[in-house]
Each structure stands twice: as structure tokens, then as C-alpha cells.
Amino acid sequence: MTLRCLLVSLCFPFAAVSLAAVPMAAAAQVDLPHDWKFHTGDDPSWSAPAFDDAGWKTISVGKPWEEEGYANYDGYAWYRVHVVIPSSLKNNSYLKESLRLELGRIDDGDEAFLNGKPVGQNAGKTKDITQGNWNLDRVYTLPLSDPAIHWDEDNVIAVRVYDHGGDGGMYAGKYEVGVTDVNDFARIDENSPFRFRTPGQLRKNISLVSTDPHYVFTGSLSILLEDPANGAILWRKTVPVPSFTPGTPFRYVYNAQLPGGQSYIALYSFRDKKSGKSITASEGVPYILTPRPAATPRINGTAIVGVRPGHPLLYKVAVTGTQPIAYTAADLPSGAILNPTTGVISGKIAAPGTYTVHLGATNHLGKAERDLTIVVGDQISLTPALGWNSWNCWGLSVSDAKVRAAADAMKRSGLINHGWTYINMDDGWERDTRDPKGNVVPNAKFPNMAQMTAYVHSLGLRVGIYSSPGPKTCGGFLGSYQHEAQDARTYAKWGIDYLKYDWCSYGELYPKPTLDDMKKPYQVMAAALAQADRDILFSFCQYGMGDVWTWGGATGGNSWRTTGDITDNWASMSGIGFRQDVCAPYTRPGNFNDPDMLVVGKVGWGPSLHGTHLSPDEQYTHISLWCMLAAPLLIGCDMTQLDDFTLNLLSNDEVLAIDQDPAAKPAQKVSATGDLQVWSRPMADGSLAVGIFNLGNHAAPASISLSTLGLSAPQIVRDCWRQKDIATTADAIVTPHAIPSHGVLLLRLRPAH
Ligand code: GAL
């Protein structure tokens, strides 16, 4: 039998591939233990099977080492584990070709050994693991005939890791040893979004795809829809699959009717007749909770805006309801003007002070009114930024066209009417060299930055840019090192409203930074931005080093990343989100912790995209938790491909109002009992936002006494996602239904009188 290519990159001995395209279930595999041996430092003898690691510490894989007692550790470290590889793996295999080690994802680079033999590395083009890519699954293979494999005996897998900043280690993914088989060349593609014709009536397209030119798959496909709360199968179908080969996938569309408003799991399984092997996949079925906005006008978005005296103001009054809408703004301070057709307030206000403006929005069905507070003073970003950032979808492939398309989509999708404001380009806009005068210049993907910015402003949206205090950005583009004041002037000239400033290569200048070293580049840029003739929100990105939340505000930051980079899986999102209680107390108007950008919708870090790997319930948790935390919400997906479910996540005004609460008081972890965590946050109007999160693998009911929440008077309990009062209680909140696995019930409590 010829050696087939599992995926192109697997044919190269040391390549790591993304598992996104690899089937869920292998023919046969053994799980690797979660507990490995661990040592910081670097020594080639640590790859040897005979090396005695008994004195090493034990560490769990699947989490960054920062969460395992190695806070702020960057550099080399080794992981080792023992595993018996049963010969039944190869005997059960149809192809009998190669052994596959799946070592999850590793931050940042790695080199793996089986019984001392190198079996693969992730080191970019340079073969130096300091250049590895943190965001790829590690799948390494070697022929079954390789003598390094000790069948039915003890084997040692050793992994040498290098982390150059932020979170590090074997932080997420699958840990398995298996044998590649015919089913490894087939996958179930469930990437197309669910469509809902009427509530509960869903339609979904799936495909069976092959990458094996030598094999014709034929068999049957089964689809089950299951209620995860009780395991009941609510709908099932099995269809014959005549064949599928590369280039001719088998496509199937199913339609199913399900009671709406709760989560379901779709389970897919294809069985290949000839080999007897199966592939399976599963996904959560999205369900819409956000009610459609009323046809009558409603004013949404932040109700408080800060602007510095004499600096340009750009504030779009966000209103839902049938168009056209006529806008009014009574008592605008001198210098500010409202465009009554677009609802954009602009101008410059010279006199410091706090101004209450009475907004009105009228259509043929009615009128909405609300006050807007404009604070003219030193402080900007009085509530967390709401917007979009290019990184989680486009990575370094961001371009002028993609930024404009995101801005257009922000308007076309209606998200602008819910208060979404910023359109931010991340890394990848800069040219390699400065001009002869030392000015930073955009690369060919951005023909005219000032024109692009003016276009985004013309829609009522603001624009963000990205740089590093080091000579290079994380993507290897030009940073602001020794050109800070000049760059700040350039950004202001282009009309930029937001700067994300990413530590990156500054770390090479200060490999072991003191607290002062950490603060310095941010102080320098803060001083430069203070000279600009416009407000530029200053967003620090240094992954939480030196507990930045304790000094970010005093150093000129409006927000600061508290963690390494997020990815679209539960371990990453929940690992970041649920440890924010440490930084939460530092939240206040103008100063926000940033647990990183949203991973909902089509993401991919560019240029190719996939639907987020978070389940629908995990996405409800993601948005709810980030709102509870008063986090900046930066949508990380392709805005031109927003599906119904993602829009429902991003357009719930009662949920967004928690994030945008003008008091900006910190969230608190009230309790953590078993898998249930309860978080609360006091709102400006005296009500209390409460999130009940189920971190476990099974749906679970919950009951929380009012006294645990510090409340004594009877309370009206409102479900924020469903926008409905669900109970009045004098003693305890009892959840009306089990909270789904990894899901949430997001509530707002107000006194019942
Ligand atoms: C990372 C940062 C990401 C993104 C990227 C760009 O350090 O955390 O959010 O900005 O750099 O290269």
C-alpha cells in the first residue's frame, strides 16, 4: 500500500497541522494521562527514556503553566509522560501505516521526542522552537515500523517547549496516541451555519469530505439530535452514502423541528462499509434567546461619554426601531452639534464640565427618550469599548478593504444601533521601513489611511490602530521604538481614535523586566498621546505582566490585557474568564481589564476562517461573563458573515447594558460550589446583575439564597437574555430550568416595590 498524505503538511516529518480538518474520532487510540512531569530549563538529556524524572514536579496539560503555579514564567521547559502503546492499535488498523502523537496545542514552540527520538517540532520556518506558533494543533507521525516505538511496553514522550511571553506550555487540545487509518482521510464538515426558518424549525447542511485519492468511501450517515439535559433523542435520521472522494463530497441537508429556546446537541456519524471504520462529529445546535427589537424606537448603547476639552467628539446615538428615525438632542453643550438624520453628535466642546443632554428618537410608531451624559474633562472611555478588531479573523492579512467591509457590516447588520462603535485594525498594516523623515507608513494593503479613517468616521464609527513599543510588532512589522511621539502625531493626523500597544519585541530589550521597565514604554506613549489634538483610547497589551491591573490606570491606560491570547475553545475562554476575579476590583470608569477579544462567529487568525469551536452555550457564557466583567467587547469575527445566532449574541441590549453600566463597578465571584459559579455586579440604578455559570459537563439546576448575594428585600428576577421577568422571590433564586453544561443564566435583580 502506498503511503498516503493525511494532510499535505503531515507528509513532512516535522510538521504540525491544524486538527480543524482532521476527523473527530480515530480508529483506535489511547488517551495520554493529564498529569505529566515538568521542569523549567533546558537540557538535551531530558529527552532520554532512561532519564530519572522522579524528582520533577507534576503538572496538568490542557492549561497554561501560569495556571499551574508558574506565574509569569517565560522560556524553556520540558514535559515528560509514560505510556504503554498497545499493538492492538496497529492490528485494528485497516491501513497499517503510521503512529500518530496528538500533543494538543503548545505556547509557543516545541520539539517532541518518543523514547529519545525526535518525532516533530513546531518552529516556523527557522527550525528554532523560539519561533513556534502557539495556535496550531501538534500532530506528529512516524511509520509503524519505526524501532523507536516500543509496542506493548513503556514509552516515554518528552516535549521541549519554549514560551516567549504571556501564557506558556501544553495549554489546550487533545492528548492521544493512535494509528492513522482510512477514516483519518475523511471528515464531516459541519461548518455551514444553522438556519432557522421559523422558531424551532432548523435547516442544516453537512458534507462528507475525503482527502484520499486512493480510496472510495461508501456507507451510511446517521444524524441524532439529543437533549443534553436528559439524553433524550428528539430526532434521528440515517441516510445511505453512495460514495465520496476528493473533489466530490457527499452533501446532505437536514430539516428538523425542535421545541425552541434551549440547547441541543447534533451527533453525526459516518460508517465506512469496506473498512468498518467510523468518523463522528458533534456540535451544539444554536438557539436564539434575544427577542427581536421592537419596531418602536429604543435608545441603546453607552449613556455616558468622556471627551477632552477642545478635542473632536464623535458619538452615534444608537437606536433600534423601524427606519427612518429622526433624532433630537436638547441641551447640547456649546460646540457640539447633532445630525438629526444620522444621529451622529460631533464637534468640539471647549468648556470642561458634565452636561446632561436629552436625546429623542422618533419614527412613525413613537418616540424614545433618554439622557446622555457628556463629561468634558481628562477622562475618556468611561464605559468599555464596544467594537470590532481584525486579529481573531484576519490575522496579518488585514487590509483597507477588510476594514471598510467590517465598518459597512457594522452598519448594515444593525449592530451600530446597539452601541457598537470601534473598527480596529490589528497588526499587519505597517510597512517594513519608515520614510526618510522617520514617519511610519502603511503597507500596500492600505493605500490611504486618512481616507479610510474618514470613510469609517462618515458612518459614525471610530477607528483603532495597533503598534508595539519594541522595534518590531509580534507579527514582525515595524514597531514604534524611539519614534513614539512621531507615531502618535501620525495617528492623530490620520484620525485614529484607539491605540492597542503590544509589548512584543520590547521584551528582547528587557528580557527580565523590572516593574519600572514594564511601565516605561507605556508611560512614554501615554505622554505622546497626551500631546495629540484628539482623544486616542490607550489599550495596553502586555498579557498581564507585573499585575498590570494594579498600575495600568495610573500609567495612562484605558484598558489593559490581563492574559495571553484567547482562542476559540472552552479551555482557553473559560480559563481566562473565570480567573478575572483577581483583577476585577481595579475596574472603574476609564480603566478596564481586557480579558481579550471575542471568539464568536467566523474566526481563524487569517486568512482562512472557521465557525468558532465554542458551543452555543459556551458563547452565551463568553458574552455574559465578559459583560459581567465590564470588559471591552471587541468582536473578533468576519463581520460580513454574521449568522443569526452570532447577531443574537451581539445585539441583546439588556445584556450589553450590563457591560456598559455607567457606574463601572467591579464584578465579584460570590460563590464557587462544585461546577457552579455565581458572579454578581452592582448596577448604577441599584439593581444587581447576577451570572450563574455551569462549568461542568452536565446540565444542572441551581438555587442561590438572596442573602448569599447580600440582599434582604424581596426581589424581581429578570432573565436578561430572554428579556423577561421570571420570578419574584423573598428568599432564594431557583433556576427555572437546568443550566446547560458550560452555559449560563444571566439575571438582573431589582427590589420588588
Ligand atoms: C499578540 C496579541 C494579539 C495580536 C497579535 C498581533 O501579541 O496578543 O492580540 O495583537 O499580537 O501580532
Side-chain angles (χ1 to χ4, degrees):
M1 204 171 291
T2 51
L3 184 74
R4 291 146 215 251
C5 194
L6 174 53
L7 278 174
V8 178
S9 38
L10 262 193
C11 288
F12 301 108
F14 294 138
V17 297
S18 164
L19 262 193
V22 177
M24 303 269 310
Q29 69 275 327
V30 284
D31 290 340
L32 292 171
H34 254 76
D35 285 345
W36 291 47
K37 289 292 190 177
F38 179 77
H39 205 285
T40 54
D42 191 26
D43 186 329
S45 71
W46 294 347
S47 70
F51 175 76
D52 182 6
D53 57 22
W56 284 20
K57 292 261 168 45
T58 300
I59 195 168
S60 289
V61 290
K63 291 179 196 162
W65 62 45
E66 275 73 7
E67 286 180 42
E68 295 282 299
Y70 299 87
N72 298 328
Y73 180 70
D74 300 325
Y76 287 99
W78 283 69
Y79 290 73
R80 286 170 55 96
V81 79
H82 290 253
V83 59
V84 173
I85 304 179
S87 49
S88 59
L89 289 185
K90 63 176 166 181
N91 300 338
N92 293 341
S93 154
Y94 182 82
L95 285 184
K96 304 200 192 320
E97 278 183 4
S98 37
L99 187 78
R100 184 185 59 217
L101 304 182
E102 295 193 24
L103 302 176
R105 288 185 173 206
I106 300 177
D107 196 350
D108 290 291
D110 68 288
E111 187 175 8
F113 302 84
L114 178 68
N115 298 319
K117 173 174 180 156
V119 292
Q121 68 170 194
N122 182 304
K125 291 183 200 126
T126 59
K127 303 246 160 146
D128 170 359
I129 70 167
T130 61
Q131 304 301 312
N133 182 342
W134 63 279
N135 198 19
L136 279 181
D137 289 314
R138 273 37 173 195
V139 183
Y140 300 125
T141 59
L142 66 168
L144 292 185
S145 55
D146 196 310
I149 310 170
H150 301 165
W151 295 102
D152 296 317
E153 288 172 22
D154 186 50
N155 292 264
V156 173
I157 299 172
V159 186
R160 175 178 180 241
V161 178
Y162 180 81
D163 171 41
H164 61 65
D167 285 353
M170 299 179 67
Y171 71 97
K174 270 207 283 186
Y175 303 93
E176 278 175 13
V177 178
V179 170
T180 58
D181 215 331
V182 56
N183 50 345
D184 288 322
F185 301 91
R187 69 186 168 89
I188 299 172
D189 179 351
E190 19 81 355
N191 220 349
S192 77
F194 282 88
R195 306 256 171 235
F196 299 89
R197 287 173 170 169
T198 53
Q201 168 78 52
L202 59 94
R203 181 182 170 84
K204 168 82 188 184
N205 204 322
I206 49 176
S207 307
L208 298 174
V209 181
S210 164
T211 53
D212 188 340
H214 311 287
Y215 193 86
V216 178
F217 289 95
T218 169
S220 58
L221 169 69
S222 302
I223 303 167
L224 300 180
L225 297 180
E226 183 190 280
D227 182 342
N230 52 22
I233 303 297
L234 300 174
W235 188 90
R236 73 169 73 222
K237 184 134 196 172
T238 299
V239 290
V241 176
S243 72
F244 65 98
T245 52
T248 52
F250 174 76
R251 295 207 166 86
Y252 188 68
V253 179
Y254 69 89
N255 292 285
Q257 181 75 39
L258 290 174
Q262 71 154 86
S263 68
Y264 299 98
I265 298 176
L267 303 157
Y268 309 120
S269 138
F270 165 73
R271 186 167 188 281
D272 178 56
K273 215 160 149 192
K274 257 182 293 167
S275 66
K277 305 288 174 188
S278 298
I279 52 172
T280 61
S282 67
E283 61 177 333
V285 179
Y287 58 106
I288 308 263
L289 293 181
T290 302
R292 280 189 188 287
T296 47
R298 183 182 196 279
I299 303 181
N300 307 303
T302 186
I304 185 162
V305 61
V307 63
R308 298 200 175 100
H311 284 190
L313 170 66
L314 181 72
Y315 176 84
K316 160 93 179 83
V317 184
V319 178
T320 46
T322 307
Q323 299 287 331
I325 292 187
Y327 299 83
T328 54
D331 299 329
L332 270 178
S334 159
I337 47 162
L338 166 80
N339 180 324
T341 326
T342 62
V344 174
I345 299 177
S346 58
K348 295 178 182 173
I349 307 162
T354 298
Y355 303 89
T356 305
V357 178
H358 307 288
L359 299 175
T362 311
N363 69 7
H364 71 287
L365 295 168
K367 177 168 187 185
E369 290 177 297
R370 202 180 79 176
D371 284 352
L372 167 70
T373 306
I374 302 181
V375 185
V376 183
D378 276 348
Q379 218 20 311
I380 60 167
S381 182
L382 299 178
T383 57
L386 290 184
W388 173 84
N389 172 293
S390 57
W391 184 249
N392 289 354
C393 49
W394 299 127
L396 296 174
S397 75
V398 62
S399 64
D400 172 294
K402 285 172 174 163
V403 172
R404 286 176 193 250
D408 288 339
M410 192 65 101
K411 188 165 176 190
R412 197 179 48 243
S413 65
L415 286 181
I416 194 172
N417 302 327
H418 298 276
W420 296 89
T421 301
Y422 287 93
I423 300 293
N424 295 355
M425 69 205 113
D426 206 280
D427 203 357
W429 62 268
E430 317 86 333
R431 208 175 73 183
D432 282 352
T433 47
R434 292 175 177 270
D435 74 7
K437 291 188 179 142
N439 294 312
V440 65
V441 190
N443 56 40
K445 294 183 291 162
F446 289 85
N448 188 324
M449 199 60 99
Q451 270 176 19
M452 186 192 82
T453 304
Y455 175 74
V456 177
H457 285 164
S458 75
L459 302 177
L461 299 166
R462 303 180 192 165
V463 184
I465 207 163
Y466 167 98
S467 188
S468 168
K472 294 268 180 218
T473 65
C474 291
F477 287 81
L478 202 64
S480 293
Y481 184 57
Q482 293 181 334
H483 291 271
E484 296 83 358
Q486 198 175 7
D487 285 0
R489 281 196 297 276
T490 304
Y491 304 150
K493 195 177 76 194
W494 288 338
I496 295 296
D497 307 293
Y498 183 118
L499 172 66
K500 171 174 172 183
Y501 206 45
D502 193 351
W503 178 261
C504 301
S505 68
Y506 197 81
E508 286 161 27
L509 306 172
Y510 294 90
K512 289 204 179 308
T514 62
L515 197 55
D516 283 346
D517 297 335
M518 289 179 202
K519 289 180 182 176
K520 193 171 125 207
Y522 290 94
Q523 285 161 336
V524 170
M525 186 48 100
L529 294 176
Q531 297 304 311
D533 57 2
R534 58 184 299 113
D535 292 345
I536 300 182
L537 188 161
F538 195 18
S539 155
F540 296 6
C541 177
Q542 45 83 289
Y543 339 113
M545 281 186 308
D547 295 346
V548 61
W549 46 91
T550 60
W551 50 266
T555 312
N558 296 113
S559 65
W560 40 81
R561 279 270 296 278
T562 54
T563 74
D565 287 16
I566 197 168
T567 46
D568 57 323
N569 60 63
W570 171 249
S572 168
M573 185 277 287
S574 66
I576 289 174
F578 289 109
R579 65 176 142 121
Q580 297 297 309
D581 48 332
V582 179
C583 355
Y586 298 88
T587 301
R588 55 182 54 85
N591 294 156
F592 297 102
N593 295 302
D594 175 3
D596 207 1
M597 301 171 291
L598 302 178
V599 278
V600 300
K602 289 249 179 195
V603 293
W605 291 268
S608 54
L609 304 178
H610 60 261
T612 176
H613 292 136
L614 292 181
S615 75
D617 284 309
E618 291 168 353
Q619 294 178 67
Y620 278 120
T621 290
H622 185 20
I623 302 295
S624 304
L625 183 54
W626 263 234
C627 287
M628 287 296 290
L629 295 168
L633 302 181
L634 292 168
I635 304 169
C637 67
D638 177 3
M639 295 288 294
T640 67
Q641 295 192 63
L642 287 166
D643 57 89
D644 296 348
F645 176 71
T646 310
L647 266 172
N648 131 89
L649 290 170
L650 302 174
S651 60
N652 192 311
D653 298 308
E654 294 199 17
V655 174
L656 293 174
I658 297 177
D659 185 68
Q660 294 294 304
D661 190 72
K665 293 221 176 102
Q668 212 195 336
K669 195 196 283 184
V670 179
S671 67
T673 320
D675 290 326
L676 285 180
Q677 288 197 14
V678 180
W679 290 62
S680 74
R681 183 172 156 207
M683 300 280 101
D685 66 357
S687 64
L688 189 72
V690 176
I692 309 175
F693 298 92
N694 177 3
L695 281 67
N697 292 329
H698 302 285
S703 161
I704 291 111
S705 68
L706 292 185
S707 60
T708 315
L709 296 166
L711 299 170
S712 45
Q715 300 286 316
I716 298 171
V717 182
R718 186 165 178 83
D719 179 329
C720 298
W721 280 105
R722 294 175 175 83
Q723 300 186 353
K724 254 200 262 175
D725 290 346
I726 53 171
T728 301
T729 178
D731 46 22
I733 304 167
V734 180
T735 55
H737 51 78
I739 303 176
S741 158
H742 296 180
V744 60
L745 188 64
L746 185 66
L747 305 171
R748 195 150 165 173
L749 272 51
R750 62 185 195 277
H753 42 71

